[in-house]
């Protein structure tokens, strides 16, 4: 063994990382909409992947519930096809045998009580008990939102929510389409389930780098003293997609960019950057800190919205070297659609930590490239002592890259070699894939979230008050945009960084988007 320090691996672990093995108790998952798009693309392949990796207990049951008449065998064939098409594991015969023998199907209509009686009977027959004799049942709502009331009412009527089984409810976004409908949905849910039983999934929170924001902030002492209005000039959050709406015309026309991305993903990222340290890592303590951030975001009136938010819709252009049609030329989109596919806005958080520090948020479809990143722009030094080789004097910027590269980099200025006093910008960079050695497995978002539901950990799931607080922030924007004429749509080219007004939003403040 060499004692030469230079031989040490670049990222030698300070302590041995023992992979956490979670013990999951026997459970049954009932997937309402078990044959739909979400189930086939995400849920069923992920459940198979977990089984393949031996993360599931020996005893489990998965029951698909949908209206088309099918036998268990036919459902197993549908699931196998979905895994072949969308899964990332080879289907090993032994693994498939084990997985498939635990798959069942109930054909029924969401609004038909008899279907729930059938389900109840099936649950009694196939759901495995835990060591303590309890039957854990997870209801996954992979269904269009309008079906939820029917399902909750009937589950409750047939005594399937509480009592007979130890149940949890997993709901997919969107959680309502404004604050009022979200509150109504929450009231409906709370008639049948306690908040402790409810898991509102936003798959974004299952991403490793999103979770890492908390670790980065609260496990390192050097940044926390700087993490406030005294040292930070502003924060930028970009969630850019190069894709268009991909056959989701009906959904997108109903939702538009604010409901699709701002209300959930962008505000979740903002909360992780801005929240105070929680007292511990208990789910409710973390979620309470996030809700406090939402409540301190300055409410926007109409004048503010007109001045400090920017909407856009993509026209034709070129994305990644290929011609790209305009939004209005996408399948099933009307020629005169005024749906926004781009958002930029300036947010203020009115608390002691962040007073006076603007948060610029931006998201859009058919932008130049797919990238999600948060950049923290620190203030310039009080005096300019050194000249710069670049025209623009770069401040220190901390970049948290979420996708496509999961990385953290710090931009600093160093002396350029030579006799002059030239300042030169360089990066200190940590990249998950390159810098972590060994066979590291990055769990996919649904993998992590499904395991958390099975374990009973609600940390990465939105809480009722958080969802409503997020709607309270964006409702005025949606209302204003829906009640006033859109600017000349389309107003940005596919493959660009959005409308010129988004650049002006920052330029007026003497700033510019980091990615442009
Ligand atoms: N697709 C995605 O990638 C994705 C991503 C994120 C969130 N989501 C959300 O997930 C939810 C489901 O989306 P999806 O795209 O999977 O929908 P979908 O493809 O339309 O699937 C709907 C499912 O519900 C069943 N169903 C519909 N009406 C029924 C009824 N009256 N009685 C019994 N079964 C009925 C359908 O089965 P039958 O055809 O047999 O009736 C099918 O299994 C939505 O809230 C969506 O916003 C979807």
């Amino acid at each position: 063994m060499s004692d030469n320090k230079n031989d040490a691996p670049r990222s030698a672990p300070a302590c041995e990382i023992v992979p956490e093995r979670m013990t999951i108790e026997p459970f049954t998952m009932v997937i309402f909409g078990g044959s739909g798009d979400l189930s086939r693309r995400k849920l069923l392949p992920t459940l198979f992947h977990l089984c393949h990796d031996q993360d599931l207990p020996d005893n489990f049951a998965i029951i698909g519930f949908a209206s088309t008449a099918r036998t268990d065998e036919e459902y197993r064939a549908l699931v196998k096809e979905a895994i072949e098409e969308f899964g990332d594991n080879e289907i090993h015969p032994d693994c498939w045998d084990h997985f498939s023998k635990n798959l069942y199907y109930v054909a029924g209509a969401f609004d038909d009580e008899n279907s729930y009686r059938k389900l109840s009977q099936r649950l009694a027959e196939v759901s495995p008990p835990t060591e303590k004799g309890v039957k854990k049942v997870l209801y996954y709502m992979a269904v269009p939102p309008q079906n939820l009331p029917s399902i909750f009412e009937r589950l409750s009527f047939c005594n399937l929510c509480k009592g007979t089984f130890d149940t949890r409810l997993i709901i997919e976004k969107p959680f309502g389409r404004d604050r009022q409908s979200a509150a109504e949905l929450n009231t409906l849910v709370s008639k049948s389930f306690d908040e402790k039983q409810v898991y509102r999934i936003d798959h974004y929170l299952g991403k490793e780098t999103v979770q890492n924001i908390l670790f980065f902030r609260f496990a390192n002492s050097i940044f926390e003293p700087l993490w406030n209005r005294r040292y930070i000039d502003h924060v930028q959050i970009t969630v850019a997609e190069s894709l268009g709406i991909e056959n989701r015309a009906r959904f997108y026309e109903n939702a538009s960019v604010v409901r699709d991305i701002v209300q959930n993903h962008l505000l979740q990222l903002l909360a992780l950057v801005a929240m105070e340290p929680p007292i511990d890592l208990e789910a409710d303590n973390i979620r309470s800190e996030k809700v406090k951030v939402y409540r301190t975001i300055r409410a926007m009136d109409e004048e503010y919205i007109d001045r400090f938010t920017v909407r856009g819709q993509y026209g034709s252009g070129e994305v990644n070297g290929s011609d790209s049609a305009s939004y209005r030329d996408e399948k099933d989109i009307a020629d005169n659609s005024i749906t926004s596919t781009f958002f930029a806005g300036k947010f203020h958080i009115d608390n002691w930590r962040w007073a006076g520090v603007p948060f610029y948020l931006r998201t859009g479809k058919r932008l130049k490239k797919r990238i999600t990143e948060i950049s923290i722009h620190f203030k310039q030094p009080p005096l300019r002592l050194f000249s710069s080789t670049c025209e623009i004097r770069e401040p220190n910027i901390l970049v948290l890259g979420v996708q496509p590269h999961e990385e953290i980099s710090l931009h600093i200025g160093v002396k350029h070699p030579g006799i002059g006093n030239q300042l030169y910008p360089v990066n200190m960079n940590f990249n998950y894939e390159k810098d972590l050695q060994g066979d590291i497995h990055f769990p996919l978002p649904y993998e992590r979230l499904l395991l958390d539901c099975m374990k009973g950990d609600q940390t990465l799931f939105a809480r009722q008050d958080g969802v409503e607080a997020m709607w309270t922030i964006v409702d005025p924007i949606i209302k204003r945009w829906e009640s006033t004429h859109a600017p000349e749509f389309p107003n940005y080219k596919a493959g660009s960084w959005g409308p010129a007004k988004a650049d002006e939003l920052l330029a007026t403040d003497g700033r510019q988007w980091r990615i442009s």
Side-chain angles (χ1 to χ4, degrees), residues 32-273:
F32 286 91
S35 59
D37 189 61
L38 177 69
S39 298
R40 286 185 304 106
R41 273 176 196 278
K42 301 279 184 206
L43 302 183
L44 295 162
T46 305
L47 286 163
F48 179 69
H49 180 92
L50 291 174
C51 182
H52 176 270
D53 283 4
Q54 300 182 338
D55 284 323
L56 298 189
D58 287 341
N59 296 322
F60 67 91
I62 296 167
I63 304 178
F65 185 116
S67 75
T68 305
R70 283 188 189 93
T71 61
D72 287 345
E73 274 315 318
E74 284 166 338
Y75 187 57
R76 288 169 189 154
L78 177 148
V79 174
K80 194 170 187 190
E81 250 175 54
I83 297 168
E84 279 164 352
E85 191 173 353
F86 300 111
D88 56 2
N89 287 105
E90 217 179 292
I91 303 189
H92 192 277
D94 290 346
C95 183
W96 172 250
D97 282 350
H98 174 59
F99 186 70
S100 66
K101 75 176 197 297
N102 293 305
L103 286 174
Y104 306 93
Y105 184 75
V106 170
F110 293 150
D111 58 358
D112 167 36
E113 263 149 42
N114 275 330
S115 307
Y116 293 78
R117 292 202 184 93
K118 269 200 289 184
L119 173 65
S120 176
Q121 199 179 335
R122 213 72 212 275
L123 279 170
E125 287 162 13
V126 303
S127 62
T130 63
E131 263 180 25
K132 289 184 182 156
V134 179
K135 290 191 168 188
K136 286 184 181 274
V137 178
L138 285 71
Y139 298 119
Y140 201 118
M141 299 293 143
V143 302
Q146 62 271 23
N147 293 120
L148 294 175
S150 253
I151 299 175
F152 297 156
E153 265 168 43
R154 280 155 192 90
L155 279 176
S156 185
F157 183 80
C158 295
N159 200 22
L160 287 169
C161 300
K162 294 179 194 167
T164 318
F165 304 109
D166 175 2
T167 59
R168 285 172 199 156
L169 173 70
I170 307 165
I171 318 181
E172 272 288 338
K173 84 175 182 81
F175 316 119
R177 48 181 289 107
D178 52 21
R179 201 202 71 81
Q180 191 182 334
S181 56
E184 282 164 12
L185 178 63
N186 284 332
T187 306
L188 192 72
V189 168
S190 66
K191 280 188 189 158
S192 312
F193 296 92
D194 298 331
E195 186 60 27
K196 283 265 163 237
Q197 295 174 276
V198 184
Y199 293 72
R200 295 176 189 80
I201 281 213
D202 179 347
H203 72 277
Y204 225 67
L205 291 181
K207 288 180 187 289
E208 272 303 300
T209 8
V210 172
Q211 293 162 46
N212 191 39
I213 298 171
L214 281 190
F215 278 74
F216 178 80
R217 284 194 56 198
F218 302 130
N220 297 296
S221 60
I222 60 168
F223 290 106
E224 193 49 28
L226 310 179
W227 211 261
N228 57 52
R229 67 181 189 283
R230 290 185 64 193
Y231 299 100
I232 293 178
D233 178 71
H234 73 281
V235 176
Q236 296 182 17
I237 306 180
T238 293
V239 175
E241 296 176 278
S242 54
L243 290 178
I245 52 166
E246 309 300 297
N247 297 324
R248 292 171 76 213
R250 218 179 61 193
F251 162 78
Y252 204 82
E253 277 288 284
N254 259 315
S256 89
V257 65
V258 179
R259 291 193 181 90
D260 189 33
I261 305 284
V262 183
Q263 185 269 345
N264 36 67
H265 302 336
L266 270 176
L267 290 180
Q268 289 282 5
L269 292 178
L270 178 148
L272 289 168
V273 173

Side-chain angles (χ1 to χ4, degrees), residues 358-370:
F359 281 65
Y360 299 99
L361 273 50
R362 169 176 74 158
T363 181
K365 293 210 171 282
R366 285 273 185 247
L367 295 181
K368 189 160 191 168
K369 58 181 178 188
R370 172 178 171 260

